[in-house]
Amino acid sequence: MSTTFTINGQPYTVNLSDLPPDITLNTFIREHAQLTATKFMCLEGGCGACVCAVSDGQSTWAVNSVRSEISRPSAPELTTSPAVLQCLKLLNTCAQLEIVTCEGLGNQQSGYHPIQKRLAKMNGTQCGYCSPGFVMNMYGLMEQHGGRVTMSEVENAFGGNICRCTGYRPILDAMKSFAVDSNVLVPKECVDIEDLSLKARNCPKTGRACKGRCNGQRSILIYDDGHQWYWPSTLAEVFEALDNVEDSDEFMLVGGNTAHGVYRRSPDIKHFIDLSGVEELHQHSSEREKLILGANLSLTETMEILRSTSKQPGFEYLEVLCNHIDLVANVPVRNSGTLAGNISTKKQHPEFPSDIFISFEALDVHVMALRSIGDEREMSLEEFLKDNDRNIVVKAFVLPAYPKDKYIYDSYKIMPRAQNAHAYVNTAFLLELDSDSKVESARICFGGIRPDFVHASVIEELMVGHSPFEPNLIQQTFSKLENLIKPDEVLPDASPAYRSMLACGLLYKFLLKHAPMADVSAKFKSGGELLQRPLSSGLQLFQTQKSTYPVTQAVQKLEGMIQCSGEATYMNDVLTTSNTVYCSFVGATKVGATIDQIDASEALQHPGVVAFYTAKDIPGTNTFCEPSFGYDAEEIFCSGFVRYSEQPAGVVVALTADQAQRAAKLVKISYSNPSSDFKLQPTLRHVFSSGTPDTARILPLAISKLQEVTLSDKPDLEVRGIFEMGLQYHFTMEPQTTVVIPFEDGLKVYSATQWMDQTQSVIAHALQMKAKDVQLQVNDKCHKIQWTFKYFSLQVRRLGGGYGCKISRGNQVACAASLAAHKLNRPVRFVQSLESMMDCNGKRWACRSEYQCHVKSNGRIVGLSNDFFEDAGWNANESPVQGHSTFTAANCYEFTDSNFKLSGHAVLTDAPSSTWCRAPGSVEGIAMMENIIEHVAFEIQKDSAEVRLANISKKSKMATVLPEFLKSREYYGRKKEIETHNANNRWIKRGLGLSVMNFPVIYIGQFPATVAIYHVDGTVVVTHGGIEMGQGMNTKVAQVAAYTLGIDLSYIKVESSDTINGANSMVTGYAIGSESVCYAVRKICETLNARLKPVKKARASWLDTVEAAHAQSINLVASDHYKTGDMQNYHVLGLALSEVEMDVLTGNILIRRVDILEDAGESLSPWIDVGQVEGAFVMGLGYWLSELLIYEGDNGRLLTNRTWNYKPLGARDIPIDFRVELVHSQRPSGAGFMGSKTTGEPPCCLAVSVIFALQQALQSARQDAGLTREWLRLGAPTTPETLLLNAGHQVAEFKLK
C-alpha cells in the first residue's frame, strides 16, 4: 500500500509496506528523502531540533466547516498548528499532508526566508545545530496566528527548543522582531516582513485548493511480519479494527505519539490504529451547562476552544485551565498531543504526573466512552482509569459550567524550569460556595504525591460548612494536610519532604490569592501569586576600531545564513550509499563485576542485524584514549572488569538505527560476582557520605608544600565550611557522531571531534593498519613508537557544540564505527543516543571544597586552607585538579606564599571518567574562592563587595574596575531597595549576588593552517587545524585574513578541517583555539604579502596583483602554524551582578537582572564575543540552578539521562534584563592576539553570582521564620527543592494574618 504527501512542494509516493510500521517522519526525511536541514538529538520531543511544519493544505481552517456536526455557529476559527516534532510524528499518519522543512522554507537558490535572515543577521546562531528547529517553530507560530503574533506569544513559544550556545537572548530578539507590538531594533537589511505573506496551499493530491481534512478511502495495511496499520474514518471502523486484535497482541491508538517522550513505545506493538481521520473524535460543542471536547482534539486546539468559551457566563474558569495547559510540554508537542492521549497515558501509567488529569479531576470532568458502537456511557475520570477494558474508546470529555459568583477555581504546576518540564507537584482546587461564602463542596486535588493519592478527602470534608478563610479552619487544614500528604520516595523524583511542603504551600497560596483583601496581611498578599515573568530584554555594549576593519568589526557569523537555513552540514548530514549500516552500544550493567561471557545469539537473529563486535574483534589496541597523548588507556569495549553502569561491552551493527538499538537490548552478559570488599560509590557524595572515605579512592594530585598556614596577622574570627558542586552534562545539541566510508584502500572518517589528531591516532591503533601504507609517527615521552596504517582521512566541517565532550569522549563512537566499517567494508553511521551518551560519557568534574579561613574584622583574610576533592569518575584522565582548579583557586585576591594552603585531590568513583566541560577547573576554582569570600562576609556581617575589596591588591586592575562597576550598576541603591522589599514581603524574597574573576589563559600546542589565493578572481580559501563548533573561529579567521591581505571580507572562505592540512593539531579547547589559528593565518598572509610585494603596483587592484603574481609563477599557496611560545599568556577580568526573586512557598525563582562586565581586550569580532559571553553565562546558570544528575546507589545507574528528567535552562529561564558590556582595552603590544582576549569560557565562571543572590533571599526568609542566623551550604545545583527546604518555614505557620 502506498501513501502520498509532499515535502517542500515535492510529491512523494511511498510504499509503506517497504518501511517499518513505526518509522518516524524524521527518519524518512533524513534517510530516505535525504533532506538534512532537520536535525535530531533526543528523539523524544524534548529538544526541538527536529521541528518542521505540517499542513493539511491551507494556512487556516474553520472549525465550523470541518466539524459541522456539533459545532456552534459562534465557534472560533481555529488556525492550523503546523509546527510538529518529526521524531514523534509517525510516517503512516502523514497521508495527504504538506510538510515543510527548513531548506524548503528558504535556501541559497530560491532565496532565504525572512525568519532565516533575521535570525542569522541578529546573531541568533552559533553552532547552528538548533537553528533550523527555532526557525521552523517560529514559522509554525506565524502560520498558526495568521502572521500576527505578539512579543509575549513569541517568547512563550520556544519552551521546547533547547540552545546550549547562545543563551537564547539574540534568538528571542530576532523572533520578537516579527511581532505586531515589537520594539526590537532590526538591521536595515532585514526590514522585509512583507515577504511573510501566508498563502493557502493546494492539495497535493488534487492540485486544487484544499477544502479541509481529506476524506479519501482509508485502508488496512498488513505487513509481511504481521504488523497491521488501520486508518478508520468512523468510530465503527475503529471497533472493526479492535476486533482484529488478539487478546495477546499489543495495539496502539495513534494520536500524536507524544507519550513516547515519556514512556518508550513498546517494540511489541502489532496493531496501529490511526484516529486522526475519525471526525467524531474532533468535534466540540458548548451549551449553557457544559462544554464537550472531542477526545482527539490536540492540546493546542483545546486551548483555542477554551479561550473562546471562557468569555461565556459560567465558563470563565476555562482561562485558568487554558493557562495550565500552556505549561504542558511545549508548542510542537501540544500541536500533536491529544486530550485522550494524555488521559490514556495516565490510565496506563498511574504515576504519570498528568496536568490534564489533575485539572479535569478537580473540575469533575466526565468521560464519554464507548465499549462498542451503541454502548456509549458517561463516567467519571476515576471510573475510567480503573476500567480494565482495554478496548474502551474515549469519545469526548464533558466540562461542567461553574459560575464565577459561586465557584472558585485555580490550579498550579511547579517545575524545575519555567517550561517544558513535568511537575514536581501539580494541583487544582475547586470550591463551591453558598450565599454566605461558606463551602458547599470542595475538590482538593494533588498530583506528584503518589499514584494512589489524588483527593485530599479529609480536607474536602473539613471545609464544608465553613468559610475557607476562617483562621481556625486554616489552622486545622494545614495541621491535617501535612499528616495526610505522604509522598512516595522514587528516584529521580524530588524528595518526599519537598513535595509534601510544596503541596501544602500551593493550597496556602490558593487561599492567600482568593481570600478577601481585608482578611490577608499586606506582607503576606504577594505570596498568593506565582512569579510573573515579564518580557525579557538585553543590552550589549562594545567598541570597535574602524582603522582595523574588518577586524574588530561587528559582523554576522559567516556561516550564519546557511546554519539558519539548514544548509550547513554536520557529521550526520554526510550522505552515504544505501548499504550503510548503523550502530548501537551494548552496555555492561553490573559494576564491580567481571564479564564472563557475552551471548549475542538472540540479537543476531533480530531482523536487520548484521554483526556484533566485542573487544576480541579489535585487531589492535582496545583503547579510545591515546597513552602517548598523556592519557591512561580507556577500553573501547569492556573486556573484563566493569567500571561503571552501561560501560560499552560491544556494538550491534544493523540496517537501521532502531534495529540496532532494539537488538542491543537482547544481548545477554553474564558476570562473576564483585569481590566482597567492593563498595559501589558512583558519585563524590557517595564517597564522602560514609564518615571515613576510602583512601584508595583519593589521589593527591596537587598537594601544598606548606605543612601549615602561617597567619599574616592576628585573626579576629575563624570561618569553616564545605562547598559542594555537582556534575554537569555538556548537552551538546549534536550527538556524538561518526560516519565512516571505506574508500579505495582506506577509510574516510567524518567524526564530530574537537581533536582530530587524537581521534585519527586511536582509530589507527585500534585497527592496526598495515605497514605498506601511510605511516604515522607519534612521539612518546619515553621512546619513539612507529605505527602503521592504511590510507586514512579524517574530516570535520563543524560541530554542533562541543564544550569539551568531543575532545576524547567521542573517540569511543569513532573507534566502534571504524571497526565496523573495517570489518564489513561498507559505510557505517554511528549516532549515539542521548541516553547512551549520558550513561557513557563523562561529565564536568564535581567538586567538594573543605575550607578553614582566618579573617580580620574588616574582612581581610590572613590565613586560608582549602582542601578540594574533584570527582574523576573511574580514572583521572583530563584532570583539572593540577591545572585550572589550582590556577584559579586564589582568583583575584592577594595571598602570600605562606598564608594560603591549597591541596587538590582526584576522587575515583564508579562512573564514567569525568571530562573537560566548559571552563574546566576554572568554574570550580573561582567558585570555591568566591564562596569563601561570601561566607566570610556573612560571618562578619559586612557587604561582600567590601570584603572583596579588602582582599584585592590595590595595585591590581580589579581594584579599580570593581568600584566603578558597583557604582555604574547602582549596587548599593539596588541593595537597599531589595532590603525594603524583603522587609515588606513574607513569601516573595529578592537577592543581589556579586562575583568577580581573574581567568588565566595559557597557550599550548600547535595549530597549522593553509591559505590559497585563486588567480581567477582573487578569492581566498583558508583551511586550518582548529574546529569550528559555534565559537566563531572561522569568522574571526576570515576577518584576520581579509585585514592582513587588505581585501574585502567577501573574498574569504574558510573550508573544512582535516588531518592533511590540519595534521598534528592541538585540541580546540581551553578558549585558545580561535586566537591560535588567527595567529597562524596572519603569519601565512604576511608571507603571501611578501611574495606579492614585488609585483604589486601603485593603485593596482587586488585581482591585478594576484594575476601578475600568477603570471610570474609566484606561489599563491602558503602554510604555517602557531606553536607554543608565539604568544604571551594573559588573564581575563570579569564581573557579574545577578538579581533574583524567589517564591518562598515553591522554591521557584526569576532572574530579574544580570550585569556582566568582561575585559575582552580589542574584540576581534564583537557580536561573536557578546554571544559567547551570554551563552557561557547561561550554561553556567544551568549548572548552578537546574542541571541535577542523580545516580542510583545500588547499581550506579544514571537516572536522569533524558530530556524528560535532565533540564538545562530554557528560553524563559534566562535573565529578564540581560546586560553585557565588553571592556575595550587597547593593548597593541600586549599579550593575546592583536590585543584580543578570549570570551568562550570565562563568563561561565561568573554565573556563581546567582547562588549568592539566592543566599540573601533565603536569609531574609529564614529571619522571618525566626531561625537563628546561619550560613547555608548552597552549591550546584541549587534547585527549587533546595531553596524551599532551606527557607525555614513550617506548614503550621501558614495563616492569612
Side-chain angles (χ1 to χ4, degrees), residues 262-273:
V262 186
Y263 303 102
R264 291 293 183 261
R265 189 173 56 252
S266 169
D268 299 323
I269 294 172
K270 296 296 183 184
H271 302 264
F272 297 84
I273 304 172

Side-chain angles (χ1 to χ4, degrees), residues 398-474:
V398 182
L399 284 68
Y402 292 114
K404 64 179 181 179
D405 59 347
K406 191 174 182 180
Y407 293 88
I408 301 173
Y409 174 72
D410 228 325
S411 65
Y412 302 90
K413 179 180 184 179
I414 305 303
M415 304 177 284
R417 64 182 179 199
Q419 293 177 299
N420 200 28
H422 61 281
Y424 291 125
V425 170
N426 48 11
T427 64
F429 310 123
L430 178 69
L431 300 182
E432 180 186 6
L433 305 179
D434 63 18
S435 56
D436 294 326
S437 297
K438 293 183 178 180
V439 177
E440 286 191 6
S441 67
R443 298 181 69 85
I444 308 297
C445 298
F446 295 92
I449 304 302
R450 59 180 190 271
D452 63 348
F453 182 88
V454 178
H455 283 269
S457 302
V458 173
I459 307 303
E460 292 172 346
E461 295 169 4
L462 180 67
M463 285 186 168
V464 173
H466 300 274
S467 164
F469 313 114
E470 291 177 7
N472 288 338
L473 177 65
I474 290 175

